[in-house]
Amino acid sequence: MSQVSTSPAVRVFRRHPVRTAAGALVLSVVFSALVLFLLPKFLPRTMNISTRGVVVLVVAVAITAIVWVGSFWLRNIRVIVGPDTVEIGRPGATEVYPRATTVFGSKITEHRTNGLPSGTTRALAVHTGTRETVIELPGFTRSTFNELMALLRPAAQPLADDPVEAARARASLPSAFTVDVSGERRFARTLLIGAVVLVLVAVVTVLLVLTPAFVEADLQGLVLLAPFAVVGAVGLGIGALQRYRLVRAIPSRVSISHHGLRLDDVDHPYDQLARIWVTPPGYPVRRLRLDRRAGRSLTCVLGSSRVLMTPDYAEFVTALRAETARMPGLLSLDLE
């Protein structure tokens, strides 16, 4: 995460310069290698070797310069958050937005290639009146973007003008929640059963191979079942262990009070927590992460297609926002 505090009231968010330099270096090497091996094929055969070498060198240097300039200038987007304004842009080309009349949102897009995650694009959605401007923030990590959004759009509920009315509103919200993990436990059990079945298939295949009748029946092709079954069993076994570990980390009871959170029989007072991160209710997997002032952080899943919270997770977030309204900065959204 790359953040710079220029004064107590001003914070600067940008991509980390070391990550930027590493990315530029990798791209420069890749493009230079492509130029070295591909460009000579397109040059005239009558060109002598020294001239060809100069042309390749010039093109490689030009591409390297373009990559580094693009990385450190064109894509070097900074967000400077002050008490009254937010400045967004690269050096020499910035836009200033007044915080009082601007609403900031987030747009996160996960890219997939052949079904596999291949990257994430994070952007700011800037609303000024009826106009929306989407500004991509290349190179911003998840933690940097989360810290930025926690500052621009705090998750905590604003303090009410009337304390009595605020107390009544909090009293109307649920404070005790239960978490049903039976679906996740069934999924883990299914993976484990699948792993056991594949192990049995591998064992049976090996035993068949050792019998003389197997060779006589010309079934040597079945030998390939054993290694594939073993690989599948290992994969399903690892998945089952991860699911069981996830189930053990999920509390069955969660309660919210004026003093802190209680997960099962363990209390987590607000004054011992540096930050509470909650996943937005609309996400498919909804997590709670507690960053403790002393000790390791605690993360648990409170909602998914196989984990059900009662009352609903959205009510849990609403109740937590109400209870932490008097502690600005404690509650933040975890925007994956």
Side-chain angles (χ1 to χ4, degrees):
M1 181 170 62
S2 180
Q3 305 172 38
V4 179
S5 296
T6 57
S7 73
V10 177
R11 295 179 67 182
V12 180
F13 297 84
R14 62 188 177 194
R15 63 190 305 184
H16 200 286
V18 175
R19 292 169 60 95
T20 304
L25 180 61
V26 171
L27 288 177
S28 299
V29 171
V30 171
F31 286 136
S32 297
L34 290 176
V35 169
L36 178 62
F37 288 102
L38 297 180
L39 183 58
K41 297 180 180 180
F42 298 95
L43 295 177
R45 295 182 179 276
T46 56
M47 186 179 293
N48 58 52
I49 295 178
S50 61
T51 304
R52 294 163 70 91
V54 171
V55 171
V56 170
L57 179 61
V58 169
V59 173
V61 170
I63 291 178
T64 300
I66 292 172
V67 168
W68 283 84
V69 169
S71 298
F72 279 94
W73 186 61
L74 295 176
R75 294 176 61 85
N76 186 21
I77 305 297
R78 299 183 304 174
V79 182
I80 304 175
V81 182
D84 302 315
T85 61
V86 176
E87 184 178 335
I88 306 174
R90 61 177 183 268
T94 60
E95 188 77 23
V96 179
Y97 300 93
R99 296 187 67 175
T101 58
T102 307
V103 177
F104 296 93
S106 62
K107 287 185 179 293
I108 301 177
T109 305
E110 184 181 89
H111 305 284
R112 291 179 174 269
T113 302
N114 296 327
L116 299 176
S118 57
T120 302
T121 299
R122 297 178 174 87
L124 273 180
V126 183
H127 300 269
T128 53
T130 58
R131 179 189 174 193
E132 180 189 72
T133 304
V134 178
I135 304 172
E136 287 193 12
L137 303 176
F140 273 51
T141 62
R142 172 181 170 183
S143 58
T144 301
F145 189 75
N146 282 341
E147 289 289 349
L148 172 62
M149 292 308 303
L151 194 60
L152 293 179
R153 193 166 187 173
Q157 183 173 294
L159 283 172
D161 297 331
D162 186 355
V164 176
E165 188 63 30
R168 289 176 180 172
R170 284 199 305 270
S172 66
L173 297 172
S175 60
F177 301 81
T178 59
V179 184
D180 181 11
V181 297
S182 58
E184 193 67 55
R185 190 176 286 111
R186 283 194 301 270
F187 182 61
R189 190 181 302 118
T190 301
L191 292 178
L192 184 59
I193 292 173
V196 172
V197 170
L198 289 177
V199 169
L200 292 177
V201 169
V203 171
V204 170
T205 302
V206 171
L207 293 177
L208 286 175
V209 170
L210 297 178
T211 60
F214 182 83
V215 178
E216 295 174 359
D218 195 22
L219 298 174
Q220 290 85 348
L222 291 177
V223 175
L224 296 176
L225 279 177
F228 282 113
V230 170
V231 172
V234 171
L236 291 180
I238 293 174
L241 290 177
Q242 290 177 338
R243 294 295 104 185
Y244 277 119
R245 184 182 301 174
L246 175 67
V247 168
R248 287 196 299 269
I250 298 175
S252 59
R253 302 181 309 279
V254 180
S255 60
I256 303 173
S257 70
H258 198 58
H259 304 288
L261 287 168
R262 185 178 180 86
L263 307 182
D264 285 335
D265 299 323
V266 181
D267 290 315
H268 300 276
Y270 295 134
D271 57 4
Q272 295 182 12
L273 299 176
R275 187 73 65 88
I276 301 174
W277 296 95
V278 291
T279 308
Y283 278 41
V285 179
R286 299 166 289 282
R287 297 182 179 88
L288 168 70
R289 188 173 91 235
L290 305 178
D291 289 348
R292 290 176 279 206
R293 297 186 184 277
R296 300 173 59 185
S297 62
L298 171 67
T299 303
C300 58
V301 174
L302 296 182
S304 71
S305 59
R306 295 184 293 270
V307 178
L308 303 178
M309 174 176 259
T310 307
D312 189 74
Y313 176 82
E315 296 187 60
F316 167 77
V317 175
T318 301
L320 191 57
R321 290 182 67 224
E323 288 293 354
T324 57
R326 57 192 170 86
M327 293 164 282
L330 179 62
L331 181 66
S332 297
L333 293 179
D334 187 6
L335 305 171
E336 303 177 0

